[in-house]
């Protein structure tokens, strides 16, 4: 496992080295090519701003009003009935909406219950195995100007649900 | 649907705040939300600029094409609309690889680039194509090998074995990925059937 962790530290430097080495070998004008590609970065980041402002304001309003907590409170009994602990419900609901919000909740659960508790491990697995669907949707589609999203949101949220159920089942089998 | 969810979150939040007396917090959250969004985008500038530059070098060196060719047999089934050797496939694969190794900030620029190529393949329409939905589904539920952030948080709280959640994360995210592919296919088939009926 430490092997896997150190792999992720080495991966980016290795990738950069490999790309530059192969390109130099093939006589690509590396620096000039880099600059011409990098030029797009600024305008791309700026073009995402309106999409992300719209989405985050809606999410923040929903959360600050207390409606989010009320929703979690209403769903907790149903979910704990199927074996999902009530403590984990806010994290599961926050995960697709806000990356930093979910990270905060996961850190809180780890601090309160201890990293090696059942809840602590479940929170870690849940955090690691799903992603911020709304953010990805907003940023990816916003950057290239996709207005009609088709089934993307439905598919993304259902996939999150599968990930959550899988996390609960796997953690209860391995550590339960 | 996105319009309904967006308006719904805002309206429910505002009404709930009115009933619950949390209007002051909501007013403040409007501005913190907007600020947070801009902060994220400003932070993205550095990452996007660097990775788009490096990806251009990789493309010029023919590495993206080589990568696309290598995994074509598998990727062809997931993204049947993308022709062989097309740069979109190279970007899709770089995006997936970055996701699998938990390099979140490298995955975003490659994902955006892949979306751009897919839009071009789709004739520049403002509508999400089948492959775009598949790519999005794979991004929201992707196999994760090393959840770096999670491990570091567990370490800072004194876990006896901070990495013992790696195996459960691999299993759970693997299930999520398979689920995402199946759900994506189901929705696609439903859509295709509807369109056939229309004709």
């Amino acid at each position: 496992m430490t092997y896997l962790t150190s792999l992720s530290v080495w991966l980016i430097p290795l990738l950069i080295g490999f790309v530059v080495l192969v390109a130099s070998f093939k006589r690509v004008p590396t620096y000039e090519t880099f600059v011409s590609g990098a030029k797009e970065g600024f305008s791309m980041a700026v073009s995402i701003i309106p999409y992300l402002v719209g989405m985050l304001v809606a999410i923040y309003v929903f959360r600050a009003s207390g409606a989010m907590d009320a929703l979690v409170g209403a769903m907790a009994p149903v979910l704990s009935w199927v074996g999902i602990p009530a403590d984990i419900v806010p994290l599961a609901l926050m995960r697709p909406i806000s990356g930093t919000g979910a990270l905060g909740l996961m850190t809180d659960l780890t601090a309160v219950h201890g990293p090696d508790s059942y809840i602590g491990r479940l929170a870690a697995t849940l955090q690691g195995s799903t992603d911020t669907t709304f953010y990805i949707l907003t940023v990816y589609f916003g950057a290239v100007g996709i207005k009609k999203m088709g089934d993307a949101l439905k598919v993304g949220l259902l996939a999150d649900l599968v990930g959550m159920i899988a996390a609960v089942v796997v953690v209860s089998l391995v550590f339960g | 649907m996105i319009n309904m969810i967006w308006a719904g979150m805002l309206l429910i939040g505002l009404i709930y705040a009115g009933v619950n007396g949390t209007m002051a917090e909501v007013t403040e959250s409007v501005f913190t939300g907007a600020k947070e969004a801009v902060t994220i985008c400003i932070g993205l500038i550095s990452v996007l600029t660097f990775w788009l530059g490096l990806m251009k070098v990789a493309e010029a060196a023919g590495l993206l094409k080589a990568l696309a060719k290598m995994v074509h047999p598998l990727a062809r089934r997931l993204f049947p609309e993308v022709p062989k050797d097309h740069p979109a496939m190279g970007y899709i694969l770089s995006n997936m690889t970055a996701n699998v190794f938990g390099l979140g900030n490298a995955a975003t620029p490659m994902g955006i680039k892949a979306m751009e190529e897919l839009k071009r393949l789709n004739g520049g329409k403002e509508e999400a194509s089948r492959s775009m939905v598949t790519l999005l589904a794979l991004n929201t539920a992707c196999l994760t090998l090393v959840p770096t952030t999670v491990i570091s948080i567990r370490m800072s709280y004194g876990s006896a074995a901070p990495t013992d959640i790696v195996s459960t994360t691999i299993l759970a995210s693997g299930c999520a990925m398979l689920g995402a592919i199946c759900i994506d296919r189901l929705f696609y088939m439903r859509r295709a059937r509807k369109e056939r009926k229309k004709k």
Side-chain angles (χ1 to χ4, degrees):
Chain A
M1 285 311 159
T2 41
Y3 162 76
L4 268 180
T5 333
S6 60
L7 181 70
S8 76
V9 174
W10 275 81
L11 210 69
I12 288 184
L14 279 177
L15 183 71
I16 297 171
F18 178 71
V19 168
V20 174
L21 193 74
V22 174
S24 306
F25 187 71
K26 291 200 171 168
R27 299 187 182 281
V28 171
T30 47
Y31 181 66
E32 284 158 35
T33 314
F34 177 87
V35 170
S36 79
K39 269 182 190 152
E40 283 176 66
F42 186 82
S43 56
M44 204 178 256
V46 171
S47 71
I48 302 166
I49 290 179
Y51 297 91
L52 212 54
V53 167
M55 195 47 87
L56 282 194
V57 167
I59 288 166
Y60 273 53
V61 165
F62 190 64
R63 207 166 64 190
S65 69
M68 176 91 191
D69 290 334
L71 182 70
V72 170
M75 283 176 81
V78 186
L79 289 171
S80 62
W81 185 69
V82 275
I84 298 171
D87 297 282
I88 215 85
V89 175
L91 176 63
L93 282 176
M94 183 67 82
R95 193 67 187 97
I97 299 174
S98 162
T100 48
L103 200 63
L105 286 175
M106 184 247 157
T107 312
D108 186 51
L109 284 173
T110 311
V112 172
H113 297 272
D116 297 322
S117 64
Y118 176 71
I119 301 253
R121 284 176 167 140
L122 182 55
T125 306
L126 198 65
Q127 177 74 20
S129 60
T130 51
D131 215 321
T132 319
T133 304
F134 276 88
Y135 171 78
I136 296 178
L137 195 85
T138 311
V139 168
Y140 282 22
F141 282 175
V144 299
I146 294 295
K147 302 250 160 60
K148 285 187 170 175
M149 302 195 173
D151 294 327
L153 186 62
K154 271 180 259 173
V155 173
L157 289 179
L158 280 172
D160 278 335
L161 185 67
V162 173
M164 282 161 204
I165 295 168
V168 172
V169 172
V170 168
V171 173
S172 69
L173 283 178
V174 176
F175 297 116
Chain B
M1 188 174 168
I2 193 82
N3 292 320
M4 265 168 62
I5 288 183
W6 189 74
M9 278 198 295
L10 275 176
L11 294 177
I12 293 171
L14 292 176
I15 293 165
Y16 197 90
V19 176
N20 239 22
T22 45
M23 212 45 112
E25 285 91 329
V26 165
T27 311
E28 204 191 315
S29 74
V30 171
F31 299 105
T32 41
K35 197 174 158 190
E36 172 81 10
V38 176
T39 312
I40 290 176
C41 291
I42 298 293
L44 269 177
I45 292 178
S46 57
V47 179
L48 278 168
T49 306
F50 175 74
W51 284 106
L52 291 180
L54 192 74
M55 287 306 280
K56 189 86 171 182
V57 179
E59 197 185 344
L63 286 170
L64 284 183
K65 250 187 187 166
L67 186 66
K69 211 178 252 173
M70 233 163 56
V71 278
H72 181 74
L74 182 79
R76 192 187 53 194
R77 290 174 195 282
L78 278 174
F79 299 94
E81 293 168 350
V82 182
K84 206 176 176 176
D85 294 351
H86 194 276
M89 203 57 106
Y91 286 121
I92 290 173
L93 290 163
S94 322
N95 167 260
M96 304 283 306
T97 316
N99 264 326
V100 167
F101 288 100
L103 313 172
N105 56 354
T108 310
M110 296 167 187
I112 294 176
K113 207 69 194 157
M115 283 293 178
E116 222 169 47
E117 292 294 337
L118 288 177
K119 191 184 178 189
R120 201 163 300 152
L121 269 176
N122 199 28
K125 280 185 218 148
E126 288 186 339
E127 205 172 320
S129 70
R130 175 190 178 182
S131 296
M132 287 177 182
V133 177
T134 309
L135 180 62
L136 199 104
L138 285 176
N139 261 284
T140 64
C142 183
L143 179 70
T144 308
L145 288 184
V146 208
T148 332
T149 331
V150 170
I151 293 172
S152 64
I153 289 174
R154 288 172 58 76
M155 256 178 214
S156 66
Y157 282 96
S159 167
T163 51
D164 72 355
I165 44 86
V166 170
S167 57
T168 51
T169 303
I170 293 176
L171 272 172
S173 60
C175 293
M177 191 170 173
L178 282 179
I181 295 171
C182 295
I183 293 167
D184 174 54
R185 287 296 109 126
L186 273 175
F187 270 91
Y188 170 72
M189 272 159 25
R190 216 182 61 170
R191 211 158 49 222
R193 212 170 350 168
K194 253 188 215 158
E195 258 153 50
R196 263 202 306 274
K197 260 187 197 162
K198 252 189 244 163
K199 281 172 195 168

